[in-house]
Amino acid sequence: QELGVEPMAETTALFEAIKREEIQAQPEHNGLPPSPTRFVGREVELAELAEWLAAPDCRLVTLVWPGGIGKSRLALHALDAQRGLFAHGVAFVPLDAVASAEFIAYAIAKALNFSMQGPQNPNEQLLNYLRKKEMLLALDNFEHLLHDNALEPSLIEQILSRAPGVTLLITSRERLNLREEQVYRLEGLAYPTTDSPGPDAERYSAVALFAQCAQRADRRFTLDASTLPDVLRICRLVEGIPLGLELAAAWVDSRACSDIAQEIAANSDMLTTSLRNVDPRHRSLRASFEYSWKLLTDPERACLARLAVFQGGFDRAAAIQVAAASPDLLSGLIHKSLLRADAAGRYTLHPLLHKYIAEKLDATGEATAVYAKHARYYATFLEQREAHLKGAAQKKALSEITLESDNVRRAWEWAVAQGDVHAVEQALESLYHFCDIRCWFQAGVALLAPAIERWNAEPEQQSLLGRLLARQGALYHHQGLYQQAAGVLERSLEISERLEMPSEQIFCLVNLANVIRHQGQNDKAEHLAQNALTLSRQIGDRRGMAQSLQVLGLLRYWTGDLERTEALHEESLALSREVGDQRLIMAPLNALGDVACHRGDYAKARQMFEECLALSRDLDDQFNVAIHLNNLGTVYHLLEQYPEARSFYQESLEICRQIGDQNGQAIALSNLGEIAYTLGDYRKATQYYREGLAIGR
């Protein structure tokens, strides 16, 4: 009447139904259990659930996670947000005390204040009651009733087919696997991923929940500069799981946050509570995981235990080969929320769950066999990428190994500890190149050290020992630790010469020549590089030739013979481009940029350095990124564009500090000192020079 239009047919039908009292104007069932504490966060989840529940074709939503994630509380708040939106209201139905599927109807009836009467089947009575209702039912803790075959078809299926106005929101540790089901996988509360999240750290819901719970345990607790970094670490360790946060926060009255974080990292069993009114399943994370474990079938338990061998995730091929995990078993574990899969098909386990199932693996008696399979699988994985790491497919190989770096490290450490020579030999070359390109210099030295120690005194493994020493020497070289590098490279060279291993000799000669060159022994370095070149030509090793020529070119550069320098580097560059290794290309190209710069052709020098910088950034090779930034700084320095030069030098210095490249630090500091000196800032210049001098010494 107000709008002066005729009502639509649907509006008229609704009006008539209300008049006939088929639909009541006021909801009937809005009595929801009160929350014991203030609800924190989940704004995004509540908004998404509201959108799902409003969709006409959405009749069944299942909130899924193993336990302790806050499914029940989220369901309660989602229901609360739906008050008034369903004609006959909303209702929350707890099922944790329901022993069998045949009693679900009674639990729903109780929540609806509906009395069962007479001999008629309880399901039929409930369905008749719901048939013309428009309402939202939340069925909480459904997982233990999923595989109860007491009633077929299930009551859920009957409600969906015979009560078209009823929408179901179910919480479960496992999806229902019904055609109508929309699965909402719940994750932990939002938390910062670093110790320095900025001024808004307290706005993250995980941090807010921890603070709320901590203040209940100790009213004096405050989030401040002394507690915040440890609270952030706790949030990361439990990945925002509300139960983990609540259990951790309960300890603040007797432990410092730093101690709580350390204990969680060492042993998540400290996450327990003695509160009497807490569900036994939620009195510890272990109890929560144990409940989920008991719901698995025997094959699922065995498979999940074997998956504990993986670190940092895994793909399906690895799961099948290492853990005998069939696609059906993997799908089952995903459905039960014990395994996560991303869009790329990579699987991961929650870190705290991972610790729990690792214990299960140790208890099976097959742990040694599973670890052996894991080590051999990833040794083969590395071996298959060896050629790619030295050729045109370098970037792809690096990405693949980066993704599996945690598994690679675990496999290597296990193979070394067990003395698995074959696996170590398979993995060594790719592991070295990966550590070298990714600038894991210190980590690479640390990984190689136990292997060197293990085979140091075994005559039958001298070949392997020589290779290990050589690669450790090369990594020492990149850190600027020239004495250590020279020592192990000389020992490796002696072994490779004695055992007549020409490829290894070339590797040692080139790296040793570079180390000796940095120590100022140019004549000795030239002799070593010339020997490497001769041997490379004898066996047709283009990589060895390119590297030897490059070192010889650098040595000629320091004598001032630019013509010979350019010729050597041009020959090295041509060979490098034939090989297709981006990293091999950079060295002579960078040196040719130096020559152009020396001749005053700054445009050409800048072009070459920029090409080098693009190549190194494409590989995420920070060692070379730092070199090329420094050289671009030199171009701008010589052009007297000092602010631009200083910016390049400073960025180079920061990278060198991050990756532990001492030589690069000294060079950048020297250059920054020159800029400061030129601009008259003698105090700053002195500071740079002193720091660079200390490193050089």
Side-chain angles (χ1 to χ4, degrees):
Q1 288 171 346
E2 288 176 5
L3 297 174
V5 296
E6 289 298 315
M8 295 172 62
E10 291 88 345
T11 307
T12 302
L14 176 61
F15 173 67
E16 295 296 337
I18 291 172
K19 282 191 359 180
R20 293 193 305 270
E21 296 186 348
E22 291 177 2
I23 297 175
Q24 296 185 7
Q26 295 299 321
E28 294 175 350
H29 306 288
N30 278 337
L32 300 178
S35 292
T37 56
R38 181 169 61 86
F39 188 69
V40 174
R42 299 296 194 196
E43 293 84 2
V44 172
E45 292 87 342
L46 287 168
E48 289 176 345
L49 285 172
E51 187 176 344
W52 284 26
L53 294 170
D57 59 346
C58 178
R59 297 283 314 288
L60 171 62
V61 176
T62 307
L63 294 177
V64 177
W65 179 263
I69 200 72
K71 299 186 296 293
S72 300
R73 296 198 67 185
L74 179 60
L76 270 171
H77 281 265
L79 281 189
D80 194 46
Q82 298 295 311
R83 288 178 186 269
L85 300 181
F86 287 80
H88 294 101
V90 299
F92 184 81
V93 185
L95 297 175
D96 49 324
V98 176
S100 170
E102 60 185 311
F103 299 114
I104 296 175
Y106 291 101
I108 297 175
K110 180 180 178 181
L112 296 176
N113 297 319
F114 163 62
S115 298
M116 300 280 191
Q117 295 180 354
Q120 188 182 18
N121 181 288
N123 280 18
E124 286 298 321
Q125 291 189 58
L126 178 65
L127 290 165
N128 287 334
Y129 176 81
L130 294 175
R131 184 168 54 87
K132 291 188 177 182
K133 295 290 190 291
E134 181 189 324
M135 65 192 321
L136 173 61
L137 296 180
L139 307 184
D140 188 43
N141 289 317
F142 201 90
E143 59 275 343
H144 64 293
L145 303 170
L146 268 174
H147 303 292
D148 186 341
N149 297 320
L151 296 170
E152 288 293 347
S154 74
L155 179 58
I156 301 300
E157 293 172 90
Q158 294 180 70
I159 291 173
L160 292 172
S161 63
R162 295 172 57 182
V166 174
T167 298
L168 298 172
L169 175 62
I170 292 178
T171 74
S172 175
R173 300 186 182 217
E174 179 179 353
R175 62 182 296 175
L176 276 60
N177 270 344
L178 295 177
R179 183 173 51 195
E180 300 87 348
E181 181 180 31
Q182 292 184 232
V183 178
Y184 193 102
R185 295 195 181 280
L186 209 52
E187 298 291 341
L189 296 171
Y191 58 91
T193 56
T194 68
D195 286 335
S196 303
D200 296 331
E202 296 177 35
R203 296 186 182 180
Y204 286 88
S205 49
V207 178
L209 178 60
F210 183 92
Q212 179 195 116
C213 298
Q215 284 158 3
R216 285 205 307 270
D218 182 355
R219 61 182 177 78
R220 296 167 298 178
F221 175 83
T222 56
L223 275 176
D224 55 30
S226 65
T227 58
L228 185 57
D230 296 309
V231 171
L232 300 184
R233 187 182 177 207
I234 291 168
C235 292
R236 290 197 299 274
L237 285 168
V238 302
E239 288 195 355
I241 292 181
L243 177 59
L245 294 167
E246 291 173 11
L247 295 172
W251 289 99
V252 298
D253 63 338
S254 59
R255 287 177 171 87
C257 287
S258 57
D259 294 334
I260 295 172
Q262 287 178 355
E263 290 189 46
I264 295 172
N267 183 4
S268 59
D269 280 353
M270 65 87 62
L271 294 173
T272 62
T273 183
S274 57
L275 294 173
R276 293 193 298 272
N277 62 342
V278 172
D279 187 323
R281 294 171 302 175
H282 292 162
R283 286 184 180 168
S284 71
L285 277 178
R286 174 173 288 277
S288 178
F289 293 149
E290 190 68 34
Y291 183 75
S292 293
W293 178 265
K294 289 176 180 176
L295 294 172
L296 299 176
T297 64
D298 288 341
E300 286 173 334
R301 288 193 197 102
C303 176
L304 184 59
R306 289 191 292 268
L307 293 176
V309 73
F310 293 105
Q311 292 287 315
F314 52 92
D315 59 25
R316 178 173 291 188
I320 292 170
Q321 290 293 318
V322 176
S326 69
D328 287 344
L329 283 171
L330 292 171
S331 295
L333 293 170
I334 289 172
H335 291 169
K336 294 179 180 180
S337 302
L338 293 166
L339 194 61
R340 300 179 288 197
D342 61 21
R346 189 164 182 80
Y347 301 94
T348 55
L349 292 155
H350 190 284
L352 297 177
L353 175 62
H354 189 276
K355 290 182 181 180
Y356 170 79
I357 64 170
E359 295 175 14
K360 297 293 186 183
L361 174 60
D362 291 339
T364 63
E366 61 172 345
T368 300
V370 175
Y371 278 103
K373 285 183 180 179
H374 179 270
R376 289 165 193 157
Y377 179 87
Y378 284 101
T380 303
F381 167 87
L382 286 172
E383 185 180 42
Q384 290 169 345
R385 283 150 185 80
E386 183 179 324
H388 298 312
L389 283 170
K390 301 176 182 179
Q394 194 172 50
K395 184 179 178 181
K396 181 173 182 289
L398 285 168
S399 297
E400 291 170 343
I401 297 173
T402 299
L403 196 61
E404 298 291 359
S405 58
D406 290 331
N407 283 310
V408 163
R409 182 163 45 242
R410 163 167 276 193
W412 172 267
E413 290 171 348
W414 194 93
V416 170
Q418 298 298 312
D420 189 337
V421 172
H422 179 63
V424 169
E425 288 181 330
Q426 278 184 293
L428 175 58
E429 192 67 10
S430 290
L431 181 67
Y432 159 70
H433 279 285
F434 177 75
C435 290
D436 186 30
I437 298 171
R438 284 286 180 258
C439 303
W440 289 15
F441 306 137
Q442 292 170 302
V445 167
L447 285 170
L448 293 172
I452 291 169
E453 184 178 355
R454 182 176 189 93
W455 287 294
N456 188 42
E458 293 188 21
E460 63 274 17
Q461 299 303 338
Q462 288 293 291
S463 170
L464 174 57
L465 177 64
R467 293 178 63 204
L468 290 164
L469 288 166
R471 279 138 194 87
Q472 189 183 59
L475 294 172
Y476 275 138
H477 166 219
H478 283 320
Q479 293 179 77
L481 302 175
Y482 300 131
Q483 289 183 332
Q484 293 95 318
V488 292
L489 284 166
E490 285 169 354
R491 188 177 171 203
S492 177
L493 180 59
E494 183 275 321
I495 292 172
S496 62
E497 287 176 342
R498 174 162 43 85
L499 299 180
E500 297 183 357
M501 301 161 58
S503 294
E504 286 301 305
Q505 285 178 252
I506 294 165
F507 184 95
C508 291
L509 287 165
V510 167
N511 279 281
L512 189 55
N514 254 323
V515 170
I516 297 297
R517 177 177 66 83
H518 280 298
Q519 292 180 312
Q521 302 177 50
N522 288 0
D523 290 343
K524 184 177 178 181
E526 185 166 5
H527 175 71
L528 292 167
Q530 192 61 57
N531 286 349
L533 179 61
T534 301
L535 192 54
S536 298
R537 283 174 170 160
Q538 286 174 1
I539 67 171
D541 180 353
R542 289 184 299 172
R543 173 180 293 276
M545 283 187 269
Q547 291 174 322
S548 305
L549 288 163
Q550 198 263 334
V551 176
L552 289 167
L554 290 175
L555 291 164
R556 288 294 92 203
Y557 179 74
W558 289 109
T559 67
D561 185 351
L562 295 186
E563 297 298 327
R564 183 61 180 151
T565 297
E566 193 167 39
L568 288 165
H569 285 310
E570 289 285 7
E571 188 179 354
S572 175
L573 180 60
L575 286 164
S576 299
R577 293 196 189 278
E578 286 177 23
V579 174
D581 180 340
Q582 287 181 224
R583 205 160 192 257
L584 199 62
I585 291 167
M586 283 184 250
L589 184 61
N590 179 72
L592 287 167
D594 279 338
V595 171
C597 197
H598 194 94
R599 286 177 168 158
D601 191 345
Y602 300 129
K604 183 178 179 181
R606 185 171 64 185
Q607 179 185 350
M608 288 180 163
F609 293 146
E610 285 175 347
E611 183 182 348
C612 287
L613 184 61
L615 288 170
S616 56
R617 281 188 163 149
D618 188 50
L619 293 177
D620 193 23
D621 177 357
Q622 294 300 301
F623 179 80
N624 277 299
V625 167
I627 290 173
H628 308 318
L629 285 168
N630 184 80
N631 288 348
L632 278 167
T634 300
V635 172
Y636 285 98
H637 192 160
L638 293 168
L639 290 170
E640 299 183 359
Q641 297 178 27
Y642 300 124
E644 292 85 350
R646 181 169 52 203
S647 177
F648 281 113
Y649 290 152
Q650 189 63 49
E651 189 177 353
S652 177
L653 175 62
E654 288 168 5
I655 291 172
C656 290
R657 282 174 171 161
Q658 288 170 9
I659 65 175
D661 175 8
Q662 296 194 88
N663 186 58
Q665 289 178 59
I667 292 171
L669 287 162
S670 174
N671 289 336
L672 284 165
E674 285 197 47
I675 293 285
Y677 177 81
T678 302
L679 296 176
D681 189 346
Y682 303 130
R683 183 190 60 80
K684 197 71 174 173
T686 302
Q687 179 184 333
Y688 284 133
Y689 283 139
R690 286 188 185 280
E691 189 178 349
L693 182 60
I695 293 171
R697 281 178 169 160

